[in-house]
Amino acid sequence: MSDESVMSFETVMNFDTILVEIKEGVGTITLNRPKVMNALNQMLTREVGEAVDALEKAEEVGCIIITGGDKVFAAGADINEMKDLDFYQLHMANFPYIQRDCWRAIDEARKPIIAAVAGFALGGGCEMVMACDFIIAADSAKFGQPEISIGTMPGAGGTQRLTKAVGKAKAMDMCLSGRMMDAAEAEHCGLVTRIVPTEDLADTAFKTARKIASNSRPVVYMIKESVNMAVDASLRDGLAFERRNFASTFAFEDCKEGMNAFAEKRKPAFKHR
């Protein structure tokens, strides 16, 4: 294996606007601009993208968490940084906040990414958590796309991922009015997978990520690919894709180990191959 394919722990940790920790197979990215409620500026989005890419390459990591801590996830984009931009700058730069950095890395990650959300996840913050594979919400969580209130609109998936997650009517309501959705409503309409007390959020997200990381990594990748296929493919195409992936798992050593361990009533020792 080449040196380029291995990312050291020290390299992963070297960031200015985020904190990164690797523990028990889980890589945790914590947004860290508390004075501005973790507002997303170019440095933060770039560093999140770099951290996701680094954790993708880290062999000891099997699952990733993105969180803002127990107070706030992110209150949106850094408006002070954005307010003087014009159409030409955004168009020619291909939306540096959105395309090249954070969202590309999250979209392309093969390892599962869990969003652990407490407090506000608004605007770009809401779009970031929707880009993750699933959301665990604290009871304090609030989600929204309030861009309409400052004369613009969502630009990183707010009209697209939100519609796929909660349906046209709720997405229209939220994007056109700018209203926020609390954790209970978000769980009811399928935006979040579960709600936990705020004080339990970090522990719940970590235990969930650690469980995922303990499973066979190639099979985890196949499951993630198959669920994502279901979002855009027809049922016929999705079922065919699933069947091919299912049959392919029988080529892995981990499949044989898992079935033998079940038959022998012992815990499997996966080798991730």
Side-chain angles (χ1 to χ4, degrees):
M1 186 174 290
S2 66
D3 291 340
E4 289 78 9
S5 64
V6 179
M7 185 63 61
S8 71
F9 184 80
E10 289 76 16
T11 302
V12 171
M13 292 293 290
N14 187 23
F15 296 103
D16 294 320
T17 63
I18 62 175
L19 304 174
V20 181
E21 179 186 19
I22 297 175
K23 179 182 177 183
E24 298 181 42
V26 177
T28 301
I29 301 169
T30 303
L31 310 187
N32 189 38
R33 299 187 73 211
K35 293 182 179 179
V36 290
M37 299 180 70
N38 291 336
L40 308 183
N41 63 2
Q42 292 191 62
M43 178 179 287
L44 185 146
T45 54
R46 185 184 70 248
E47 290 191 340
V48 169
E50 290 172 355
V52 170
D53 286 339
L55 293 171
E56 272 279 285
K57 295 175 183 177
E59 290 187 352
E60 66 268 39
V61 173
C63 190
I64 299 168
I65 297 170
I66 301 179
T67 186
D70 60 0
K71 300 295 184 185
V72 62
F73 184 85
D78 191 330
I79 303 304
N80 286 327
E81 186 179 73
M82 293 182 67
K83 63 184 179 62
D84 295 323
L85 296 175
D86 59 28
F87 167 77
Y88 178 82
Q89 290 172 303
L90 287 170
H91 179 66
M92 296 306 292
N94 196 24
F95 279 15
Y97 286 95
I98 300 166
Q99 301 293 349
R100 291 200 306 266
D101 304 317
C102 176
W103 276 260
R104 175 205 53 77
I106 295 174
D107 284 341
E108 296 178 2
R110 298 187 75 192
K111 296 176 181 177
I113 302 179
I114 301 171
V117 179
F120 295 122
L122 306 178
C126 188
E127 290 167 318
M128 183 181 289
V129 302
M130 290 192 295
C132 297
D133 293 306
F134 62 91
I135 303 167
I136 298 176
D139 49 17
S140 64
K142 293 184 181 296
F143 304 87
Q145 299 294 158
E147 291 87 348
I148 187 70
S149 66
I150 58 169
T152 186
M153 63 174 285
T159 64
Q160 303 302 302
R161 287 192 174 94
L162 186 63
T163 302
K164 287 180 180 293
V166 305
K168 175 184 173 182
K170 280 191 178 291
M172 283 285 192
D173 178 17
M174 293 176 68
C175 291
L176 291 174
S177 72
R179 81 169 180 89
M180 290 184 286
M181 177 185 291
D182 65 18
E185 183 180 0
E187 183 186 36
H188 179 73
C189 67
L191 181 62
V192 308
T193 184
R194 69 183 99 165
I195 303 171
V196 299
T198 299
E199 60 270 20
D200 295 337
L201 177 64
D203 187 56
T204 300
F206 178 77
K207 287 180 177 177
T208 304
R210 185 176 60 189
K211 174 59 179 173
I212 292 170
S214 73
N215 291 325
S216 171
R217 197 165 301 166
V219 179
V220 166
Y221 291 171
M222 282 190 168
I223 291 172
K224 176 172 173 174
E225 290 170 351
S226 297
V227 174
N228 283 334
M229 174 66 74
V231 175
D232 296 313
S234 68
L235 180 59
R236 181 188 297 270
D237 290 343
L239 288 171
F241 186 82
E242 180 188 71
R243 283 194 296 270
R244 287 193 293 271
N245 271 355
F246 166 71
S248 297
T249 65
F250 282 73
F252 297 140
E253 291 181 26
D254 285 343
C255 181
K256 304 302 182 187
E257 166 61 15
M259 292 187 180
N260 286 332
F262 179 84
E264 296 165 9
K265 296 180 171 57
R266 61 174 174 83
K267 185 176 180 179
F270 293 130
K271 296 180 179 178
H272 307 300
R273 61 175 183 258

